Amino acid sequence: MRFRPCIDLHQGKVKQIVGATLRDDAAQAPTENFVSPHSPAWFAQTYRRDGLTGGHVIQLGPGNEGAAREALSAWPGGLQLGGGITPENASGWLEAGAAALVVTSFLFANGDFSPARLEALHQAIPRERLVLDLSCRKVEGEYVVACQRWQKLTSLRLSRETFLRLGEVCGEFLVHAVEVEGLRGGIDQELVEKLAQWCPFPVTYAGGIRSLEDVERLRQAGEDRVDFTVGSALDLFGGSLPYDQLKSFRETP
């Protein structure tokens, strides 16, 4: 189990946002837990100094390309990049220094999973450099993937078959528990258990981690196989969970 750090970008700044409050309507501002005085490069340099590989930079909407490039330039080949990735811009972001590219919404056409779009990604991005973000909500007992800043539920359900099928073209997965993301109210333990049971590939869980007890709970539920990232609860982002204690989770057992 590894700690995967994050740099979430909104309007060109490093922020922590309650994910479920993100909207396409610019007139409705999302709920911000934290806005950092530090630059994206500062965070990238911190993670680089501490040897925390596999972290991700996520562009939350437009207006973040410059900030994303700043982070990638501070650690070429050390960070993954997500947000607005398509087959057309993939090579440019890889050349800009992204270690891998994180994709969600492009996989879906009007909410329906598109095998043709998945194949286009496969042709544009090497398998080991493609990460699929299957962030989800629980609906009637099933975990349903959400896209378009988590506003729209899709036709894709998480299952072992889903991970096996998609794992043929990607190197790993990122899964946010949308309902608890940014709320610092504890993890979705059932989802973590499902990830350990269903996903034989590297997978990172995000959502609700607020304490070292939650990290231990995740370790047990995830059978030491599910990596994790921490947002609003981390002291780097205004929370109380010490980054210096999490950075020791560098390698998988």
Side-chain angles (χ1 to χ4, degrees):
M1 182 179 79
R2 287 191 292 168
F3 169 53
R4 305 285 197 101
C6 65
I7 303 173
D8 290 349
L9 302 173
H10 183 251
Q11 298 175 338
K13 296 182 179 180
V14 178
K15 298 184 182 181
Q16 282 297 310
I17 287 173
V18 178
T21 67
L22 280 168
R23 296 289 184 270
D24 290 329
D25 181 6
Q28 187 174 355
T31 300
E32 296 177 350
N33 282 335
F34 180 75
V35 180
S36 178
H38 296 299
S39 69
W42 183 90
F43 285 93
Q45 289 161 356
T46 298
Y47 302 152
R48 181 176 189 172
R49 178 198 69 201
D50 294 329
L52 292 170
T53 58
H56 51 272
V57 181
I58 301 295
Q59 303 177 89
L60 300 173
N64 293 301
E65 287 197 4
R69 291 183 183 279
E70 179 186 331
L72 297 178
S73 296
W75 192 6
L79 294 163
Q80 302 171 356
L81 176 77
I85 303 300
T86 67
E88 290 71 30
N89 64 25
S91 62
W93 282 118
L94 292 174
E95 291 169 4
L101 299 176
V102 184
V103 180
T104 306
S105 293
F106 181 80
L107 283 174
F108 304 94
N110 298 318
D112 290 326
F113 172 70
S114 171
R117 291 191 175 196
L118 179 63
E119 178 60 25
L121 288 171
H122 179 48
Q123 294 301 319
I125 305 171
R127 177 183 180 274
E128 67 276 9
R129 301 186 75 179
L130 175 59
V131 181
L132 295 184
D133 182 341
L134 301 184
S135 297
C136 57
R137 296 179 184 271
K138 192 174 185 181
V139 181
E140 297 180 352
E142 293 186 296
Y143 285 100
V144 182
V145 177
C147 68
Q148 296 177 10
R149 302 188 188 96
W150 305 339
Q151 297 171 53
K152 186 177 182 63
L153 292 175
T154 73
S155 60
L156 191 64
R157 270 62 175 166
L158 295 192
S159 66
R160 181 169 177 81
E161 292 71 23
T162 296
F163 284 112
L164 290 175
R165 175 175 46 157
L166 298 182
E168 294 178 358
V169 298
C170 75
E172 63 179 272
F173 295 91
L174 172 64
V175 180
H176 293 77
V178 174
E179 300 294 350
V180 299
E181 172 67 23
L183 298 180
R184 292 175 285 192
I187 65 171
D188 183 334
Q189 184 167 323
E190 182 183 353
L191 176 57
V192 175
E193 291 170 351
K194 295 295 188 186
L195 294 178
Q197 295 168 14
W198 290 342
C199 186
F201 308 101
V203 57
T204 299
Y205 168 87
I209 297 173
R210 61 188 170 182
S211 64
L212 291 174
E213 289 75 19
D214 280 331
V215 174
E216 175 59 21
R217 191 174 297 114
L218 186 146
R219 185 191 67 77
Q220 294 183 20
E223 301 174 10
D224 266 333
R225 296 183 46 251
V226 178
D227 294 341
F228 68 100
T229 189
V230 180
S232 298
L234 198 66
D235 58 0
L236 292 185
F237 302 125
S240 59
L241 187 52
Y243 167 77
D244 283 343
Q245 293 188 24
L246 292 187
K247 68 184 184 183
S248 62
F249 292 90
R250 289 187 181 88
E251 299 294 335
T252 350

